[in-house]
Amino acid sequence: MAITIRKGQKKDLPAVHQLVCELATYEKANGEVTASLEDYEQDFEANIFETLVAEEEGVILGMMLYYMTYSTWKGRMLYLEDFVITQSQRQRGIGQLLFNAFLGEARKKKAVLAKWQVLDWNEPAVRFYEKNGAQIEKEWWTVKVFM
Protein backbone atom coordinates (compact mmCIF):
# COMPACT_ATOMS: atom_id res chain seq x y z
CA MET A 1 0.00 0.00 0.00
CA ALA A 2 1.16 3.53 -0.70
CA ILE A 3 1.48 6.10 2.07
CA THR A 4 0.28 9.58 1.09
CA ILE A 5 1.52 12.67 2.91
CA ARG A 6 -0.75 15.67 2.53
CA LYS A 7 -1.85 18.87 4.23
CA GLY A 8 -4.47 18.17 6.85
CA GLN A 9 -8.04 19.32 6.39
CA LYS A 10 -10.85 20.01 8.84
CA LYS A 11 -12.27 16.54 8.21
CA ASP A 12 -8.99 15.05 9.50
CA LEU A 13 -9.18 16.72 12.90
CA PRO A 14 -10.92 13.83 14.72
CA ALA A 15 -8.03 11.55 13.72
CA VAL A 16 -5.48 14.24 14.60
CA HIS A 17 -7.07 14.70 18.03
CA GLN A 18 -7.10 10.95 18.61
CA LEU A 19 -3.41 10.70 17.70
CA VAL A 20 -2.61 13.49 20.18
CA CYS A 21 -4.45 11.50 22.86
CA GLU A 22 -2.44 8.41 21.86
CA LEU A 23 0.75 10.45 22.17
CA ALA A 24 -0.27 11.62 25.64
CA THR A 25 -0.68 7.98 26.67
CA TYR A 26 2.78 7.15 25.25
CA GLU A 27 4.24 10.10 27.18
CA LYS A 28 2.61 8.86 30.41
CA ALA A 29 0.37 11.93 30.52
CA ASN A 30 -3.10 10.39 30.30
CA GLY A 31 -5.82 12.91 31.01
CA GLU A 32 -3.61 15.94 30.32
CA VAL A 33 -5.12 16.64 26.89
CA THR A 34 -7.79 19.19 27.72
CA ALA A 35 -8.20 20.76 24.26
CA SER A 36 -11.38 19.33 22.75
CA LEU A 37 -12.08 18.40 19.17
CA GLU A 38 -14.23 21.53 19.03
CA ASP A 39 -11.22 23.60 20.13
CA TYR A 40 -9.16 22.00 17.36
CA GLU A 41 -11.84 22.78 14.77
CA GLN A 42 -12.22 26.39 15.86
CA ASP A 43 -8.46 27.02 15.97
CA PHE A 44 -7.82 25.22 12.69
CA GLU A 45 -10.41 27.40 10.96
CA ALA A 46 -8.78 30.49 12.54
CA ASN A 47 -5.43 29.41 11.03
CA ILE A 48 -3.83 29.04 14.47
CA PHE A 49 -2.17 25.79 13.38
CA GLU A 50 -1.72 23.52 10.38
CA THR A 51 -1.28 19.79 10.04
CA LEU A 52 0.33 17.24 7.80
CA VAL A 53 -1.16 13.76 7.76
CA ALA A 54 0.11 10.38 6.62
CA GLU A 55 -2.69 8.37 5.07
CA GLU A 56 -3.06 4.89 3.66
CA GLU A 57 -6.29 3.74 2.04
CA GLY A 58 -8.19 6.61 3.65
CA VAL A 59 -6.89 5.87 7.16
CA ILE A 60 -4.72 8.46 8.91
CA LEU A 61 -1.69 6.71 10.44
CA GLY A 62 0.30 9.72 11.59
CA MET A 63 0.34 13.47 11.79
CA MET A 64 2.34 16.59 12.54
CA LEU A 65 0.77 19.72 14.02
CA TYR A 66 2.76 22.95 13.57
CA TYR A 67 2.53 26.72 13.32
CA MET A 68 4.60 29.76 12.40
CA THR A 69 6.34 31.69 15.13
CA TYR A 70 9.26 34.05 15.27
CA SER A 71 12.79 33.91 16.61
CA THR A 72 14.01 37.37 17.56
CA TRP A 73 17.56 36.17 16.85
CA LYS A 74 16.98 34.25 13.61
CA GLY A 75 13.65 35.29 12.05
CA ARG A 76 10.81 33.10 10.77
CA MET A 77 10.47 29.83 12.58
CA LEU A 78 8.15 26.86 12.07
CA TYR A 79 7.33 25.27 15.42
CA LEU A 80 6.46 21.57 15.49
CA GLU A 81 4.02 21.07 18.35
CA ASP A 82 3.29 17.36 17.95
CA PHE A 83 4.49 14.52 15.73
CA VAL A 84 3.00 11.07 16.16
CA ILE A 85 2.63 7.84 14.22
CA THR A 86 0.07 5.42 15.59
CA GLN A 87 1.94 2.73 17.49
CA SER A 88 0.98 -0.19 15.24
CA GLN A 89 2.40 1.62 12.18
CA ARG A 90 5.80 2.67 13.52
CA GLN A 91 9.01 1.42 11.89
CA ARG A 92 7.52 1.67 8.37
CA GLY A 93 9.25 4.91 7.39
CA ILE A 94 6.10 6.99 7.84
CA GLY A 95 7.80 9.29 10.33
CA GLN A 96 10.59 10.06 7.88
CA LEU A 97 8.08 10.87 5.14
CA LEU A 98 6.20 13.24 7.46
CA PHE A 99 9.39 14.83 8.76
CA ASN A 100 10.65 15.47 5.23
CA ALA A 101 7.29 17.05 4.34
CA PHE A 102 7.46 19.24 7.46
CA LEU A 103 10.91 20.51 6.48
CA GLY A 104 9.51 21.16 2.99
CA GLU A 105 6.72 23.25 4.53
CA ALA A 106 9.32 25.20 6.53
CA ARG A 107 11.24 25.96 3.34
CA LYS A 108 8.05 26.90 1.49
CA LYS A 109 7.20 29.37 4.27
CA LYS A 110 10.76 30.75 4.10
CA ALA A 111 11.45 29.76 7.71
CA VAL A 112 15.11 29.92 8.67
CA LEU A 113 14.59 27.57 11.59
CA ALA A 114 12.36 24.66 12.59
CA LYS A 115 12.09 23.96 16.30
CA TRP A 116 10.38 21.50 18.64
CA GLN A 117 10.81 19.67 21.94
CA VAL A 118 11.56 16.05 22.71
CA LEU A 119 11.37 14.27 26.03
CA ASP A 120 14.82 13.26 27.29
CA TRP A 121 13.68 9.67 27.92
CA ASN A 122 12.21 9.21 24.42
CA GLU A 123 15.33 7.58 23.00
CA PRO A 124 13.79 6.47 19.67
CA ALA A 125 12.73 10.07 18.96
CA VAL A 126 16.10 11.49 20.03
CA ARG A 127 17.90 9.04 17.72
CA PHE A 128 15.53 9.91 14.86
CA TYR A 129 16.12 13.63 15.24
CA GLU A 130 19.88 13.24 15.57
CA LYS A 131 19.92 11.04 12.45
CA ASN A 132 18.17 13.89 10.65
CA GLY A 133 20.77 16.46 11.70
CA ALA A 134 18.80 18.14 14.50
CA GLN A 135 20.69 19.96 17.25
CA ILE A 136 19.32 19.09 20.68
CA GLU A 137 19.77 21.98 23.12
CA LYS A 138 20.01 20.37 26.53
CA GLU A 139 20.71 23.56 28.44
CA TRP A 140 17.30 25.19 27.83
CA TRP A 141 14.37 24.55 30.16
CA THR A 142 10.71 24.67 29.21
CA VAL A 143 8.80 27.41 31.03
CA LYS A 144 5.02 27.82 30.94
CA VAL A 145 2.11 29.50 32.67
CA PHE A 146 -1.46 28.19 32.39
CA MET A 147 -4.24 30.78 32.04
Side-chain angles (χ1 to χ4, degrees), residues 84-135:
V84 61
I85 310 302
T86 194
Q87 184 145 2
S88 66
Q89 299 298 313
R90 293 181 187 153
Q91 303 299 316
R92 292 185 57 200
I94 298 168
Q96 190 66 60
L97 293 172
L98 272 170
F99 191 73
N100 292 346
F102 169 72
L103 295 179
E105 284 294 310
R107 289 182 192 97
K108 190 184 320 180
K109 294 176 181 298
K110 296 183 176 24
V112 295
L113 173 66
K115 193 171 185 177
W116 61 94
Q117 294 178 305
V118 63
L119 290 167
D120 59 356
W121 57 261
N122 191 345
E123 292 178 21
V126 169
R127 283 193 307 273
F128 175 84
Y129 295 136
E130 289 176 337
K131 175 186 86 171
N132 280 280
Q135 299 173 8

Side-chain angles (χ1 to χ4, degrees), residues 18-137:
Q18 179 57 42
L19 283 165
V20 169
C21 292
E22 184 176 330
L23 178 62
T25 299
Y26 176 77
E27 292 182 353
K28 301 170 181 69
N30 275 351
E32 299 219 15
V33 176
T34 58
S36 68
L37 176 56
E38 292 76 24
D39 294 329
Y40 275 43
E41 290 169 344
Q42 179 181 7
D43 294 339
F44 183 81
E45 287 187 343
N47 295 315
I48 302 296
F49 67 87
E50 297 177 68
T51 63
L52 288 169
V53 295
E55 183 178 56
E56 183 177 51
E57 294 188 347
V59 177
I60 294 176
L61 306 175
M63 70 87 191
M64 297 182 112
L65 189 146
Y66 56 92
Y67 48 88
M68 286 299 297
T69 186
Y70 199 81
S71 165
T72 56
W73 288 16
K74 303 295 182 189
R76 289 183 188 191
M77 179 171 61
L78 195 59
Y79 190 84
L80 175 58
E81 183 65 35
D82 272 329
F83 175 18
V84 61
I85 310 302
T86 194
Q87 184 145 2
S88 66
Q89 299 298 313
R90 293 181 187 153
Q91 303 299 316
R92 292 185 57 200
I94 298 168
Q96 190 66 60
L97 293 172
L98 272 170
F99 191 73
N100 292 346
F102 169 72
L103 295 179
E105 284 294 310
R107 289 182 192 97
K108 190 184 320 180
K109 294 176 181 298
K110 296 183 176 24
V112 295
L113 173 66
K115 193 171 185 177
W116 61 94
Q117 294 178 305
V118 63
L119 290 167
D120 59 356
W121 57 261
N122 191 345
E123 292 178 21
V126 169
R127 283 193 307 273
F128 175 84
Y129 295 136
E130 289 176 337
K131 175 186 86 171
N132 280 280
Q135 299 173 8
I136 298 176
E137 300 173 333

